[in-house]
Amino acid sequence: MVSARDLLESVIKRMSVFKNKEVLYPEYVPERLPHREEQLRQLAEIFRVMVLSPGSASMRAMLVGGVGVGKTATARVFGRELRRLARERGIEIRYIHINCHRDRTLYEVVAEMVRQMGAPIPLRGLSPREMMLALMNYMEKNNIYALVTLDEFDYFVSVAGNDAVYFIVRLYDEYPDAKKRMSFIFIARDLSSLDYLDPATMSYILKHVIRFDAYKSHELFDILADRRDQAFYEGTVDDEVIQYIADVEGVDRGGEGNARAAIEALLLAGEAADYEHSHRVTIEHVRKAFSKVQHDIVRIADTLPYLQLHELLLLKAIIRVLRKKSEPYARIGEVEEEYRSLCPMYGEEPRKHTQVYEYVNNLKKMGVIEARVSGKGFRGRSTLISVIAPLDALEKQVDSLIEKRLSRTR
Ligand SMILES: Nc1ncnc2c1ncn2[C@@H]1O[C@H](COP(=O)(O)OP(=O)(O)O)[C@@H](O)[C@H]1O
Ligand SMILES: [Mg+2]
């Protein structure tokens, strides 16, 4: 029995409606996936052979659907459960998830596979083919299997090209006697991005296509209810609040059917409540969340055309670092590193550290990013950078402005 005093104290002292905010961050992998049972079932049908008869076949599945419909989450949850299930039967299956937006060349993709597998293979001085062979040997020697997801596969197709895709999907053609230790999940927004692959490669990839439709309002409600229960203290967010978000975002109500946007709205509404020291999240906080997002996006979009080429490149670097992290902040060191590797892709010389620092300050002043100095952690103080606008939409605009700038100077 909680004493009245404890109860009062906990209410009074509580500074936040959140008990576990991380649950609302985009990269959090949920325990349950309401309304994706059918897709999980199809994945299980395709990849069951990995558990029933390991090494006998290399399987492939293609997940297709718009933004925020649960493709990435479904692949991760499936990989996690497959691994658990296999382990119970004494089979070791690793789940490898690669975002091709970040690693888009064949070299980068194979190197990332090596890294996530933890295989002691040098990443320098080897060709992708040599690395892959070493990886296959490593897996053979240690009796490991892997389910590899190539997420945002569209980017890999457009940057790495047909031969690279062929290399990945027809891996075992070259080694017909090898045990089939690797299977693949590909994820793309739509199949038109695959149009220019040759028909043989294409038919190989498209053997098992699993579609993800935009979420309806009642589906979003169930997803939001799960997250609410984990992220917020009990009694701080009523059903009517998440119903409102579900109604705005649901595809059957004219929304995009995007679960990421819905969950983000819930996060921002909670933050709005905290900001006002409110003990409850109200519809009004949700309204504020929606208008904050829209207002910020409009403002940022208006500002972007005034940025210099290298400010845009730096912004792109920030977006890329944030995308691969599960935290809402990127450290300036990581951003600078990404920026330096990005510049050569555009034939640009990276600017010096002090100049980069100035760009960050300028982006902050113009309200495109938020930047603050971290508390003193074990690595000392560092500038933390975050972005308010949705990364995908922002990157699209940044990309087109970079192209424009470059075509003007060439
Ligand atoms: N069915 C679901 N149940 C629970 N959370 C979901 C579901 N579908 C999507 N999400 C969540 O919504 C967000 C976006 O999903 P994600 O898998 O990244 O979408 P996509 O890869 O299709 O763009 C993530 O936070 C994810 O955990
Ligand atoms: Mg995704």
Side-chain angles (χ1 to χ4, degrees):
M1 180 69 195
V2 184
S3 74
R5 190 196 149 89
D6 279 1
L7 196 78
L8 256 146
E9 214 171 53
S10 82
V11 171
I12 291 165
K13 276 199 188 148
R14 190 203 308 141
M15 301 297 289
S16 175
V17 288
F18 296 108
K19 71 176 174 205
N20 188 8
K21 203 172 177 176
E22 291 72 39
V23 165
L24 300 175
Y25 292 159
E27 288 77 9
Y28 172 80
V29 182
E31 263 318 300
R32 289 174 1 108
L33 286 174
H35 304 293
R36 287 303 178 227
E37 293 86 2
E38 177 53 26
Q39 284 79 1
L40 284 167
R41 200 188 56 72
Q42 290 182 41
L43 283 168
E45 290 286 348
I46 296 165
F47 294 104
R48 66 204 278 266
V49 60
M50 292 182 76
V51 176
L52 293 180
S53 172
S56 64
S58 168
M59 305 305 291
R60 290 162 304 276
M62 180 90 202
L63 314 189
V64 185
V67 179
V69 294
K71 304 182 298 298
T72 299
T74 301
R76 284 192 183 279
V77 167
F78 180 72
R80 184 181 69 200
E81 298 308 321
L82 182 72
R83 180 178 186 168
R84 278 184 199 165
L85 206 103
R87 180 167 285 175
E88 284 166 20
R89 298 167 179 241
I91 305 163
E92 181 164 4
I93 299 180
R94 300 280 177 82
Y95 178 70
I96 309 263
H97 194 105
I98 296 176
N99 187 329
C100 299
H101 201 272
R102 186 181 101 194
D103 301 306
R104 42 176 93 180
T105 66
L106 183 59
Y107 175 85
E108 285 171 328
V109 164
V110 179
E112 184 60 24
M113 283 167 67
V114 168
R115 216 172 288 134
Q116 288 190 34
M117 205 91 75
I121 298 168
L123 295 179
R124 281 175 207 285
L126 293 185
S127 71
R129 188 175 292 273
E130 290 163 336
M131 269 193 290
M132 186 62 103
L133 204 57
L135 189 60
M136 286 164 77
N137 283 331
Y138 171 80
M139 293 171 72
E140 188 63 45
K141 223 168 85 192
N142 293 280
N143 197 17
I144 297 171
Y145 298 86
L147 176 60
V148 180
T149 294
L150 298 184
D151 202 344
E152 315 263 6
F153 187 61
D154 329 39
Y155 284 96
F156 183 71
V157 173
S158 68
V159 175
N162 194 66
D163 290 353
V165 175
Y166 187 91
F167 175 77
I168 294 276
V169 302
R170 306 300 295 262
L171 196 58
Y172 288 103
D173 289 12
E174 269 189 59
Y175 315 101
D177 299 327
K179 259 196 170 178
K180 316 277 188 300
R181 291 185 174 275
M182 263 185 255
S183 286
F184 292 91
I185 294 176
F186 307 106
I187 301 181
R189 296 213 181 145
D190 63 277
L191 296 177
S192 64
S193 58
L194 307 179
D195 272 353
Y196 91 109
L197 292 175
D198 75 53
T201 310
M202 188 111 121
S203 69
Y204 224 72
I205 297 179
L206 297 184
K207 202 148 161 219
H208 300 289
V209 175
I210 303 179
R211 291 191 187 277
F212 288 67
D213 291 330
Y215 286 115
K216 298 200 177 80
S217 156
H218 77 92
E219 295 172 325
L220 288 176
F221 179 86
D222 294 338
I223 293 169
L224 287 169
D226 256 17
R227 293 295 167 101
R228 170 199 53 195
D229 296 346
Q230 290 173 271
F232 292 89
Y233 284 107
E234 210 180 325
T236 55
V237 186
D238 289 341
D239 278 358
E240 102 191 329
V241 168
I242 53 177
Q243 186 65 61
Y244 177 59
I245 298 175
D247 284 346
V248 171
E249 300 287 349
V251 67
D252 51 335
R253 305 291 176 96
E256 268 189 60
N258 177 339
R260 182 178 313 154
I263 293 169
E264 189 190 12
L266 185 57
L267 171 66
L268 289 173
E271 286 179 341
D274 272 2
Y275 185 76
E276 293 172 14
H277 304 292
S278 164
H279 287 302
R280 302 174 77 80
V281 181
T282 63
I283 299 277
E284 188 61 16
H285 293 132
V286 178
R287 281 192 204 100
K288 281 179 185 157
F290 283 133
S291 76
K292 173 169 168 34
V293 172
Q294 273 150 22
H295 178 247
D296 285 342
I297 292 168
V298 170
R299 184 177 48 69
I300 290 169
D302 286 348
T303 311
L304 292 181
Y306 299 103
L307 299 180
Q308 299 171 21
L309 174 60
H310 277 259
E311 286 170 336
L312 289 165
L313 290 170
L314 190 69
L315 184 54
K316 186 171 171 72
I318 293 169
I319 294 166
R320 286 178 57 132
V321 171
L322 286 172
R323 187 176 279 119
K324 60 189 167 189
K325 295 186 65 142
S326 56
E327 300 147 38
Y329 295 102
R331 285 170 190 280
I332 187 148
E334 304 171 297
V335 168
E336 208 174 335
E337 195 178 308
E338 181 76 33
Y339 163 79
R340 272 201 226 101
S341 71
L342 210 57
C343 282
M345 289 177 164
Y346 293 92
E348 285 290 313
E349 187 74 29
R351 301 291 192 255
K352 297 246 155 46
H353 177 74
T354 45
Q355 182 67 55
V356 168
Y357 223 85
E358 219 159 278
Y359 290 147
V360 169
N361 276 333
N362 197 33
L363 289 174
K364 182 182 174 180
K365 240 185 281 162
M366 294 174 90
V368 178
I369 61 169
E370 288 176 351
R372 65 178 176 84
V373 176
S374 73
K376 204 160 186 289
F378 67 100
R379 285 192 214 138
R381 290 184 194 283
S382 165
T383 300
L384 300 178
I385 299 169
S386 67
V387 168
I388 319 137
L391 299 181
D392 292 344
L394 185 61
E395 185 168 36
K396 234 185 246 164
Q397 291 186 46
V398 171
D399 280 344
S400 88
L401 285 166
I402 290 175
E403 291 304 326
K404 255 193 229 156
R405 294 291 149 76
L406 286 174
S407 65
R408 214 186 293 154
T409 54
R410 266 156 214 173

